[in-house]
Amino acid sequence: MSSTTTEAPVSADDFRFAFRAHPAGVAIVTADAGDGPVAMTVSSVASVAIDPPTLMFSASALSSSTPTIRRAETVVVHMLASDQIDLAKLGARSGAARFGDDVEWGRLPTGEPYYPGANWLRGRITQRVEVNGSTLVIVEAIEAKPRTEHAAVDPTPLVYHNRSWHVLTEKSTLPESVVPFYKVFGRDE
């Protein structure tokens, strides 16, 4: 039985409160559509598919970087570790010099701006979906930071939760009695 009544949407405050309780990995997205590099910190990066490797993120309508990202053909998505908190704050701060002389950055051979200390994926934007003023950006990964450049020890991920920065460590791992996600879905890694 279908209902023809329309329910009121959740209030903005209730929506924000719900997501404050949902932790998310932190990334910084860089792009250059021809008029200079931009960067924005995001906590909305998610894997979409493995073949071809596809990811997505949301570009806020409030960010000054969003117009450039909307015009760019490619982006670099940097997955941040806990020791890169300053980079995360830099990408989140309005008016910051994200590519100043005191910031370690460069350009890939293909021209995109990037932060060499971070793990990154370079990708081609395949779709942009406008959603209530923000843009959902779908990206097909075409290059990754070479594995040989990764540190010998896995970095501890930077996580955003309840308006504060957190780090995932071995201490935050649940006991072995809790079946890992990949085993529940029959994956081997």
Side-chain angles (χ1 to χ4, degrees):
M1 178 178 206
S2 69
S3 173
T4 57
T5 61
T6 304
E7 294 183 36
V10 170
S11 73
D13 287 340
D14 287 346
F15 190 75
R16 278 191 215 87
F17 179 79
F19 270 89
R20 280 187 197 129
H22 181 73
V26 180
I28 192 164
V29 177
T30 57
D32 189 341
D35 50 357
V38 298
M40 69 171 18
T41 297
V42 298
S43 60
S44 57
V45 174
S47 168
V48 175
I50 297 298
D51 189 18
T54 306
L55 61 97
M56 68 178 189
F57 66 90
S58 174
S60 169
L62 302 176
S63 173
S64 61
S65 298
T66 297
T68 297
I69 290 171
R70 284 180 177 151
R71 293 189 320 274
E73 292 180 21
T74 58
V75 294
V76 180
V77 179
H78 306 75
M79 311 302 193
L80 300 184
S82 60
D83 63 349
Q84 295 168 319
I85 183 74
D86 290 339
L87 189 57
K89 289 178 180 179
L90 181 69
R93 194 170 38 249
S94 180
R98 296 177 179 124
F99 300 96
D101 292 337
D102 59 337
V103 178
E104 183 184 0
W105 73 282
R107 289 199 181 262
L108 293 170
T110 49
E112 296 88 355
Y114 82 115
Y115 299 108
N119 292 332
W120 52 262
L121 294 165
R122 181 175 74 91
R124 180 180 314 105
I125 296 175
T126 59
Q127 293 180 54
R128 292 170 190 85
V129 180
E130 299 301 316
V131 182
N132 298 327
S134 292
T135 305
L136 182 62
V137 182
I138 312 297
V139 178
E140 183 178 322
I142 53 179
E143 182 181 5
K145 181 177 185 175
R147 288 185 184 197
T148 56
E149 291 184 24
H150 290 271
V153 178
D154 286 338
T156 52
L158 181 60
V159 176
Y160 194 70
H161 175 255
N162 198 18
R163 295 179 157 180
S164 60
W165 309 97
H166 296 265
V167 58
L168 290 180
T169 66
E170 287 300 317
K171 291 181 180 180
S172 63
T173 303
L174 292 174
E176 288 187 28
S177 61
V178 178
V179 178
F181 178 80
Y182 68 90
K183 287 186 179 179
V184 171
F185 289 94
R187 297 180 183 148
D188 58 358
E189 53 180 70

